[in-house]
Amino acid sequence: MTTFRMNRRSVLAGAAATAFSARSMAQAQQPITIRIGVLNDRSGLYADLTGEGSAIAARMAAEDFGAAAKGLNVQIVSADHQNKPDVGANIARQWYDNDAVDVIADVPTSSVALAVNQITREKNKIFLNSGAATSDLTGSQCSPNTVHWTYDTYMLSQGTGGAMVKAGGDTWFFLTADYAFGHALERDTTAVVQRQGGRVLGAVRTPFPGTDFSSFLLQAQASRAKVIGLANAGGDTVNSIKQAAEFGITAGGQKLAGLLVFVNDVHALGLQTAQGLVLTETFYWDLNDSTRAWSRRFAPQRAGNMPSMVQAGVYGSVLHYLKAVAATRSKDAAQAMTWMKGNETDDPLFGKGTIRADGRKMHPAYLFEVKKPSESKGPWDYYKLLATLPAEEAFRPLSANACPLVRA
Amino acid sequence: MADVTIAAPATETAEQADHSALHRTLFIAMAALLVVLPFIPVVGYPFFLMKVLCFALFACAFNLMLGYGGLLSFGHAAYFGFASYVAAYTAKHWGLTPEVSILLGTVSGAVLGLAFGALAIRRQGIYFAMITLALAQMVYFFSLQAPRFTGGEDGIQAVPRNALFGVLPLGNDTVTYYLVAAIFFVGVLLIYRIIHSPFGQVLKAIRDNEARAVSLGYRVNQYKLAVFVLSASLAGLAGATKAIAVQLASLTDVHWSMSGEVVLMTLVGGMGTVFGPIVGAAVIISMQNFLAGLGAWVTVVQGVIFVICVLVFREGIVGVIGKWLKKPL
C-alpha cells in the first residue's frame, strides 16, 4: 500500500515466513516472539492500583513461567491511557497496526476498556482485562477475543451486598455518585440486599465528582441503617470515608460498605480513618502462603507497596496466556483463546479457576473488613477475612447473561 | 498630501496581493502535504493523522473567535463534544451515512452556539469567558446524566463507519483519512475566506476597538453572535468528524479540560494566524501521542512548553515565523 509500510510489512512478513518455514521443517523450538502491551493509568487516579506495578506483574509472569526456556521471547511494552478513551483507542490501534503487539493487558477505566475491547476484536488480537469494572465486557459487549480476569460490578455488589446481609447488616442506606456507574452499583446491590432479606431504608444521590459529603453522611447517619453503602469510586470514595470518620459514623456502630475500594485506597487513607470499612476483593496479598510469597517478591520492585488485585490479575492472565502460546506454539488469537477457555487456570494468586465462554474468569471473591489500628501487626496488614464467596455465587451466572457468545 | 493618500492604498494592495499569493502557495503546499502524509514513515499513521486534523480544525474554529473576534470562549468543548455525540448516536443507532451524521453534528453545534452565544455576548471579557464555561459545564453534566443518549461515562463505543453517500465504504483507515483531510481542508479554506471577507474586516475592527466600531454604525452584537455561531458550527464539524474517524464519542470531548486544551493549541501555534492553530494542534497531539510512554510527565512537558512559549515567543510558533518573514501567516 504505502512504501514505508511495504518495507515494514515485508520485513514482518519475511520474519513470519521464516518462522513458519522453520517450524514446518520441524526444527527444534524456533522462539516465538510475543509482545504484550500493558495499557493503563500511569499518572492519574489509578496509577497506584495499576500503573507500573501491572507492567512489573506482567514481567514477573514471563519470568516465573520460564518463557525463554520454553522458546518464547516475551517483550513487555507499556503506555499511559490517561483514562481517556480516545487516547487509549489510539495507542491500542498503533500497537496492533505498527508495533506488532499481540496482547493488551490490564486497561482500567471502563470507557477505555470497552474501546480497546472493540479494537481488539476488529484486529483479531487478544485483550486480557484486569483493571476495568464494567460487567458489560462479558455481557452485552462481550467479545471472543477478551478475557475479563479480576472483578466486575456484578461481583462487587454480590460480594459486599450479599455477604453483608448474611453477616447481619440487613438495613442499608446508599450514598450514590450521581452518574451511570453509581446508579448501576446501587441498583445491583439493592437487588442483592433485598434478595437476601435485607431492607434498603433510603438512598441519596451525591454530585459527581464531589468533595463535601457532610449533609449526605448526616442523612445516612439519621437513617439508622446498619450499613451505609458507598456506591462511588476513586476520589469520591476516599472523601466520603474520610468525612464519615470525622462524623464518627463507624465509631457510632454503623458499618461503611465500600463497593469499589482497593487495598491501595486503604493504604492511602490509613487505618485510623478506614477502620471498620467492609469491602470485596478477589485478591489480598496476605491471603495465603503463595500470595504472600509472590507479594514479597513484588513489593521491593514497587518501593515496598504490596500488589493490588488488579496487578495480581495482570500476572494471572498473562501467565495463563503464555501457557496457551507454549502449548499451541501459535500466536493465533482464536487458538489461544480456545486453549485458555478449554484449560483450567492455575496460578499462585487466584488458585485454580476457569474461563467461561463469555470471557469471564471464575474465581472466589472475599469479603474483608479493614482492621483497627490496634489489630494491625505491621505495614500493609490491613484486612481481616469475613467471608469467602465461591466463584459461582460471586459472578453473574451464564443463564442471566446478555452475551451473544453464550446464546449462540 | 494627495500623493500620499493615493500612494498608501496602492502599496497596501500590492502588499495584500503579495500576502494572498503567499497564502495561496501555502494552501497548495498544505493540500499536497495532506495527500502525501500517509506515505511518510512514523508520522504517517492514518489514525493518528485523522486525530491531528480533527483537533486542528477544532483549534482553527476556536481561533476564528479568539484571534479574529477577540472573544475568549472557555466552553468550546461543548460544541465539539456534543456534535461528536450527535454524529456517533445517529451513525450507530439510526444507521445514517457519515456525511449525514457529520452534517447533523455540525447543525447541533450551530444550534448550541446560537443559544449559548445569544446569552454570552451580552457580557465582555472574563464574564463572557465564565458564562461560556458555565454553559459548557451544563452540557457536560447533561452528557454524564443521559446514558441513553451519550452512554454516560462509557461513551458511545464502536461507532460504525457506514459507507459514505451509501456507496463508498470507509472500512479502510486510509480512505477515512482522505475524507477527514478533505473536510479539514474545506473547513480551513472556509475560515480563511471568512477572515478575509468584509465581515472579517469588521470583526477585526470590533476586536481592536469595539467602541469605535459601534460609533461607525456597526451592530456589534450581531457580528459577535455571527462569529460565535460560525465558530461553534466549525467546532461541531470537527467533533462530528472525529466521532466517525475515531469511532467513539466520550466524555473527554465535552470536559472543560478539552476547552483548555484548545486554548493551549491556539496559543502555542499562534493566535490570530491562519496556520497557527494547525501547527499548535499538531504539536500538542503529537506530544500526547509520542510521549504517552512518559506517563505523568506528559502534562509536565506540556506545561513547560507552554511556559517557554509564553516567555520566548508570545505570538506562538507561526506568529513568530510570520514576524521574521514580516508577513501575516
Side-chain angles (χ1 to χ4, degrees):
Chain A
M1 192 167 47
T2 63
T3 44
F4 86 93
R5 285 242 215 88
M6 278 226 294
N7 292 335
R8 185 172 264 177
R9 277 200 188 149
S10 50
V11 170
L12 275 180
T18 337
F20 184 74
S21 58
R23 196 145 52 87
S24 56
M25 282 188 283
Q27 286 181 353
Q29 300 261 312
Q30 182 76 18
I32 301 178
T33 300
I34 301 166
R35 199 171 261 204
I36 299 173
V38 178
L39 180 61
N40 56 26
D41 177 3
R42 300 169 71 83
S43 53
L45 127 117
Y46 304 124
D48 285 343
L49 181 69
T50 64
E52 178 59 20
S54 292
I56 290 170
R59 245 172 262 136
M60 285 174 75
E63 285 161 19
D64 292 357
F65 182 61
K70 293 194 172 75
L72 304 181
N73 173 19
V74 181
Q75 299 169 353
I76 312 279
V77 291
S78 57
D80 185 357
H81 64 42
Q82 302 162 35
N83 297 318
K84 292 181 186 170
D86 49 343
V87 175
N90 201 352
I91 296 169
R93 277 175 198 275
Q94 217 152 343
W95 271 355
Y96 287 146
D97 286 347
N98 295 346
D99 301 335
V101 165
D102 304 295
V103 175
I104 291 182
D106 202 2
V107 196
T109 310
S110 298
S111 53
V112 188
L114 291 169
V116 173
N117 182 43
Q118 289 297 340
I119 294 163
T120 306
R121 187 175 193 168
E122 187 188 314
K123 308 276 180 198
N124 194 25
K125 305 280 182 171
I126 289 180
F127 179 30
L128 303 172
N129 186 288
S130 179
T134 178
S135 55
D136 283 352
L137 270 180
T138 53
S140 55
Q141 303 210 35
C142 72
S143 143
N145 299 62
T146 297
V147 175
H148 195 188
W149 195 275
T150 312
Y151 71 107
D152 63 24
T153 47
Y154 182 91
M155 174 230 108
L156 293 170
S157 51
Q158 283 294 320
T160 313
M164 273 302 271
V165 178
K166 277 187 199 155
D170 54 358
T171 53
W172 281 64
F173 189 93
F174 284 102
L175 248 64
T176 307
D178 198 2
Y179 67 121
F181 169 76
H183 298 174
L185 267 185
E186 183 198 322
R187 186 189 58 230
D188 294 351
T189 314
T190 300
V192 177
V193 167
Q194 286 170 344
R195 206 180 316 134
Q196 301 281 350
R199 278 189 307 135
V200 175
L201 301 181
V204 59
R205 298 273 160 94
T206 65
F208 169 80
T211 45
D212 180 11
F213 292 89
S214 49
S215 71
F216 311 119
L217 285 165
L218 287 175
Q219 283 183 49
Q221 200 169 24
S223 74
R224 299 189 179 279
K226 289 181 189 163
V227 182
I228 299 172
L230 303 176
N232 51 23
D236 280 7
T237 311
V238 169
N239 284 332
S240 47
I241 293 171
K242 272 187 192 163
Q243 289 169 23
E246 284 161 15
F247 279 104
I249 283 180
T250 35
Q254 283 175 309
K255 289 246 180 236
L256 277 186
L259 288 169
L260 185 53
V261 185
F262 299 95
V263 71
N264 310 72
D265 298 325
V266 174
H267 180 69
L269 283 163
L271 287 183
Q272 188 60 41
T273 310
Q275 58 180 307
L277 179 73
V278 177
L279 54 97
T280 306
E281 294 215 61
T282 53
F283 167 84
Y284 173 50
W285 73 272
D286 202 8
L287 204 57
N288 56 47
D289 287 339
S290 55
T291 58
R292 272 189 289 275
W294 186 81
S295 304
R296 294 231 160 84
R297 287 195 293 130
F298 175 93
Q301 304 180 54
R302 274 301 280 161
N305 287 308
M306 285 299 173
S308 66
M309 67 167 165
V310 173
Q311 290 157 348
V314 171
Y315 176 87
S317 55
V318 170
L319 189 65
H320 194 56
Y321 170 74
L322 292 178
K323 284 179 191 168
V325 178
T328 59
R329 302 287 316 152
S330 153
K331 295 207 293 185
D332 180 63
Q335 277 192 40
M337 286 300 290
T338 313
W339 192 95
M340 285 163 77
K341 286 180 181 172
N343 290 276
E344 203 173 49
T345 68
D346 188 9
D347 58 71
L349 308 186
F350 296 90
K352 282 190 180 0
T354 52
I355 296 171
R356 274 192 331 206
D358 58 355
R360 175 74 254 163
K361 162 77 191 328
M362 303 296 285
H363 46 229
Y366 308 97
L367 185 73
F368 294 111
E369 183 178 322
V370 176
K371 288 182 173 176
K372 292 192 183 69
S374 57
E375 294 168 328
S376 171
K377 292 192 200 77
W380 290 92
D381 180 19
Y382 292 149
Y383 291 169
K384 55 187 174 199
L385 184 65
L386 293 186
T388 303
L389 269 89
E392 292 68 33
E393 275 178 46
F395 291 101
R396 177 170 50 198
L398 273 181
S399 55
N401 200 329
C403 171
L405 293 174
V406 177
R407 275 181 276 145
Chain B
M1 186 73 184
D3 278 359
V4 176
T5 43
I6 293 162
T11 48
E12 208 157 80
T13 36
E15 228 170 65
Q16 266 171 2
D18 185 29
H19 292 161
S20 51
L22 172 70
H23 288 166
R24 197 174 306 131
T25 321
L26 282 174
F27 269 108
I28 292 168
M30 190 165 80
L33 190 65
L34 286 175
V35 172
V36 298
L37 259 181
F39 302 96
I40 298 172
V42 187
V43 291
Y45 179 50
F47 191 78
F48 164 70
L49 291 175
M50 286 193 283
K51 221 178 128 185
V52 170
L53 291 184
C54 291
F55 279 104
L57 182 58
F58 181 32
C60 287
F62 176 77
N63 181 47
L64 176 63
M65 234 175 96
L66 177 64
Y68 297 95
L71 298 168
L72 172 62
S73 154
F74 213 80
H76 252 53
Y79 322 114
F80 182 74
F82 195 77
S84 77
Y85 276 129
V86 169
Y89 187 87
T90 53
K92 186 167 182 183
H93 296 285
W94 297 353
L96 296 183
T97 50
E99 74 284 354
V100 181
S101 295
I102 291 173
L103 191 69
L104 284 176
T106 313
V107 169
S108 72
V111 171
L112 220 57
L114 184 66
F116 289 5
L119 278 169
I121 55 160
R122 293 157 191 260
R123 293 285 174 273
Q124 280 162 338
I126 188 78
Y127 302 102
F128 173 84
M130 286 298 118
I131 290 171
T132 53
L133 174 62
L135 292 169
Q137 282 301 89
M138 283 171 54
V139 174
Y140 174 78
F141 279 98
F142 168 78
S143 310
L144 184 64
Q145 299 281 353
R148 272 191 198 181
F149 169 53
T150 63
E153 63 276 16
D154 290 344
I156 303 178
Q157 306 274 354
V159 176
R161 281 185 194 156
N162 301 327
L164 188 66
F165 301 114
V167 278
L168 184 65
L170 291 180
N172 189 324
D173 270 354
T174 315
V175 178
T176 317
Y177 164 77
Y178 283 111
L179 171 71
V180 174
I183 291 174
F184 163 78
F185 194 70
V186 170
V188 174
L189 269 184
L190 182 69
I191 290 172
Y192 182 79
R193 191 70 205 90
I194 292 170
I195 294 167
H196 292 85
S197 68
F199 171 77
Q201 298 297 330
V202 178
L203 275 184
K204 281 179 239 173
I206 296 172
R207 174 192 67 187
D208 293 339
N209 193 333
E210 189 172 337
R212 188 173 291 172
V214 173
S215 78
L216 286 171
Y218 290 110
R219 291 171 196 259
V220 168
N221 273 355
Q222 290 182 0
Y223 280 93
K224 280 188 184 172
L225 183 60
V227 74
F228 198 113
V229 173
L230 280 170
S231 175
S233 323
L234 286 161
L237 176 64
T241 310
K242 178 174 172 254
I244 301 295
V246 183
Q247 296 185 283
L248 76 104
S250 71
L251 281 176
T252 322
D253 293 344
V254 279
H255 197 251
W256 63 264
S257 60
M258 183 59 75
S259 301
E261 223 159 77
V262 76
V263 178
L264 183 68
M265 288 171 191
T266 310
L267 292 184
V268 167
M271 181 180 93
T273 61
V274 178
F275 301 97
I278 303 171
V279 173
V283 168
I284 299 291
I285 299 293
S286 311
M287 256 164 49
Q288 288 177 351
N289 203 59
F290 294 111
L291 303 182
L294 293 183
W297 292 97
V298 176
T299 35
V300 176
V301 173
Q302 234 174 47
V304 169
I305 286 187
F306 188 59
V307 169
I308 292 173
C309 196
V310 169
L311 288 178
V312 184
F313 41 102
R314 202 165 293 179
E315 293 89 357
I317 298 168
V318 171
V320 166
I321 296 174
K323 231 177 162 183
W324 284 342
L325 298 175
K326 297 199 169 53
K327 281 171 188 154
L329 289 174

